[in-house]
């Protein structure tokens, strides 16, 4: 079913408010979830609202968080999110990082004790829109097997980079360090579709195509993805002083408790390096040169990271709205807060 941006956002906002979030926090959360859905990142859009609503209703997301910000140096600071909704904490952290980077050239902001913050490209794009380059990374709960292991230790630990250009195009590279984000498995489940056998393994470590049989995800590019997800955990978790690796709390276990996750934003003002104009022009030039590269069979064009997401967004609105799975729309339009589906001992959602 296709929904307009306003309709989708207000349905999500109302549901989050019914679950207990205050209006401004529900608005921020619904805005970032809409950002994901309209770009085709359905794994991190409206599909998540029922889970957040259950966690909010059960007390595992603080609805009146006492966030504390401490600037720890000219270019650094820590934001304690008091286990408030992750979207609001991560956005606040990026606002601090942008301010510090504008003042002092570079900013590294750690966030501790936040809940899930969704598509982290949203936060790096915030900095790029201010003419700054940015990196963000965060923890998620153990669901990927390390190379050579049979049990999950690290999460899908995403990392995003963004850079502005001279002509309004923004590069937003935003990826899970597993072959696929866990939300993609959820999305495939909700659509009743199978998955490629390169995404995940069952309990014996054997690749599976049925999304319901997934026991662990695979890191991207073998040992390289495994190393990357480990460093994301060290920089966003160990550095911010929260539980790390296999100790990261489960998304789907005991929804009455805060998740205590960590995230890190790094923001750089290009003016302190090669100069803002030179940086913006060179990024634009590289995007043009990438577009000029002749295409391989089966490809219509070389795209830069984030470009296809913007094309999906434009296409969705040209076709009358954002395509959302009927069951999700039904839930969003219902009077129910949640169906008690996510709180169980299994680290994976039913
Ligand atoms: P993806 O695989 O859809 O895309 C990864 C990146 O590759 C994107 O930047 C995309 O623009 C780029 N890309 C893809 N195809 C391309 C092409 N043909 N040419 C140029 N660039 C291309 O993303 P993934 O890994 O499935 O992650 C989806 C979302 O899930 C992200 O927004 C991520 O932040 C979020 N996530 C959040 C987590 C959390 O705990 N908060 C955990 C894991 C993922």
């Amino acid at each position: 079913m296709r929904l307009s941006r306003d309709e989708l956002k207000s349905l999500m906002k109302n549901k989050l408010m019914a679950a207990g979030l205050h209006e401004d926090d529900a608005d921020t959360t619904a805005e970032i979830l809409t950002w994901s859905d309209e770009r085709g990142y359905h794994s991190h859009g409206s599909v998540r609202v029922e889970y957040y609503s259950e966690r909010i209703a059960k007390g595992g997301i603080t609805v009146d968080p006492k966030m504390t910000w401490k600037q720890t140096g000219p270019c650094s600071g820590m934001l304690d999110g008091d286990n408030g909704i992750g979207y609001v904490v991560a956005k606040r952290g990026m606002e601090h990082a942008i301010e510090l980077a504008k003042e002092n050239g570079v900013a590294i902001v750690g966030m501790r004790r936040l809940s899930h913050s969704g598509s982290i490209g949203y936060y790096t794009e915030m900095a790029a829109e201010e003419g700054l380059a940015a990196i963000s990374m965060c923890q998620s709960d153990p669901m990927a097997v390390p190379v050579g292991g049979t049990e999950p230790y690290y999460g899908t630990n995403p990392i995003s980079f963004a850079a502005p250009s001279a002509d309004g195009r923004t590069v937003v590279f935003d990826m899970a360090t597993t072959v696929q984000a866990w939300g993609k498995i959820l999305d495939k489940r909700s659509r009743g579709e199978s998955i490629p056998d390169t995404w995940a393994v069952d309990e014996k470590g054997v690749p599976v195509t049925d999304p319901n049989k997934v026991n662990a995800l695979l890191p991207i590019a073998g040992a390289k993805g495994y190393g990357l997800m480990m460093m994301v955990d060290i920089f966003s978790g160990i550095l911010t002083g929260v539980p790390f690796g296999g100790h990261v709390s489960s998304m789907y276990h005991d929804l009455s408790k805060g998740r205590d996750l960590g995230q890190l934003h790094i923001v750089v003002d290009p003016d302190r390096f090669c100069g803002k104009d030179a940086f913006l022009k060179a990024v634009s030039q590289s995007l043009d040169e990438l577009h000029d590269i002749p295409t391989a069979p089966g490809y219509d064009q070389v795209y830069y990271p984030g470009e296809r997401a913007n094309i999906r967004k434009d296409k969705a609105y040209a076709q009358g709205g954002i395509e959302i799975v009927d069951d999700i729309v039904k839930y969003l339009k219902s009077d129910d807060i949640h169906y008690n589906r996510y709180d169980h001992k299994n680290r994976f959602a039913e």
Side-chain angles (χ1 to χ4, degrees):
M1 186 182 301
R2 288 195 184 273
L3 300 181
S4 72
R5 188 180 209 283
D6 286 350
E7 193 180 1
L8 176 62
K9 183 178 165 181
S10 79
L11 281 172
M12 293 195 283
K13 179 176 167 178
N14 290 339
K15 183 67 77 180
L16 292 165
M17 284 171 69
L21 275 195
H22 292 299
E23 185 174 358
D24 48 351
D25 290 352
D27 190 79
T28 297
T29 304
E31 173 61 31
I32 301 173
L33 291 167
T34 306
W35 185 96
S36 299
D37 265 333
E38 69 190 352
R39 282 164 179 71
Y41 292 137
H42 295 296
S43 58
H44 286 74
S46 48
V47 71
R48 303 280 178 150
V49 174
E50 188 191 334
Y51 158 72
Y52 297 135
S53 297
E54 186 171 343
R55 191 158 209 122
I56 293 162
K58 290 184 171 175
I61 289 176
T62 317
V63 292
D64 280 309
K66 308 279 176 281
M67 286 193 227
T68 47
W69 163 248
K70 189 172 179 211
Q71 192 174 332
T72 53
C75 302
S76 59
M78 281 289 302
L79 179 66
D80 189 314
D82 193 21
N83 281 316
I85 186 96
Y87 296 84
V88 172
V89 181
K91 188 175 179 210
R92 177 84 58 88
M94 184 49 87
E95 285 162 358
H96 284 299
I98 289 170
E99 198 184 323
L100 277 187
K102 282 184 174 173
E103 272 169 29
N104 299 322
V106 174
I108 303 185
V109 167
M111 286 138 284
R112 63 194 304 274
R113 298 175 67 229
L114 69 157
S115 62
H116 188 246
S117 66
S119 276
I120 62 170
Y122 179 87
Y123 313 107
T124 54
E125 187 183 82
M126 279 173 66
E129 282 171 355
E130 299 284 330
L132 305 163
I135 303 174
S136 184
M137 62 195 88
C138 71
Q139 297 176 298
S140 80
D141 43 327
M143 54 178 82
V145 279
V147 168
T150 55
E151 287 172 12
Y153 187 74
Y154 288 117
T156 52
N157 295 4
I159 184 163
S160 173
F161 297 71
S165 73
D167 50 53
R169 291 176 293 178
T170 303
V171 187
V172 181
F173 180 60
D174 178 19
M175 65 157 209
T177 49
T178 43
V179 177
Q180 289 296 349
W182 173 246
K184 289 262 174 75
I185 309 277
L186 286 184
D187 185 45
K188 290 290 185 185
R189 277 185 187 175
S190 73
R191 290 169 196 275
E193 292 170 8
S194 62
I195 58 170
D197 65 2
T198 49
W199 288 14
V201 292
D202 67 10
E203 284 177 351
K204 292 179 186 151
V206 176
V208 286
T209 54
D210 179 349
N212 298 300
K213 292 191 175 152
V214 172
N215 184 51
L217 301 175
L218 288 164
I220 52 168
K224 297 177 188 178
Y226 161 44
L228 190 55
M229 63 177 56
M230 178 179 187
M231 297 315 294
V232 166
D233 185 65
I234 289 174
F235 275 79
S236 63
I238 293 180
L239 195 62
T240 61
V242 294
F244 54 88
H247 309 281
V248 173
S249 65
S250 168
M251 189 171 237
Y252 305 115
H253 182 190
D254 199 350
L255 271 63
S256 66
K257 288 196 180 133
R259 295 219 42 214
D260 289 332
L261 297 176
Q263 186 155 350
L264 192 83
H265 297 322
I266 301 172
V267 178
V268 176
D269 182 355
D271 223 21
R272 308 291 183 118
F273 296 86
C274 65
K276 191 163 235 157
D277 286 349
F279 181 84
L280 297 176
K281 277 187 197 147
V283 172
S284 284
Q285 186 182 334
S286 64
L287 302 187
D288 291 339
E289 287 172 359
L290 286 165
H291 278 171
D292 286 345
I293 291 176
T295 50
Y299 291 86
D300 60 340
Q301 191 191 308
V302 172
Y303 295 95
Y304 61 83
E307 184 174 18
R308 297 191 327 157
N310 284 325
I311 293 170
R312 286 194 293 269
K313 180 176 77 163
D314 294 344
K315 207 166 152 191
Y317 292 128
Q319 290 175 345
I322 311 167
E323 180 70 45
I324 302 294
V325 172
D326 288 354
D327 279 353
I328 297 173
V329 179
K330 198 171 145 199
Y331 160 70
L332 291 174
K333 288 186 170 172
S334 75
D335 292 331
D336 297 309
I337 306 282
H338 65 83
Y339 303 136
N340 212 26
R341 287 200 304 163
Y342 292 98
D343 203 350
H344 46 69
K345 304 282 178 202
N346 187 332
R347 65 181 170 275
F348 297 116
E350 299 294 353

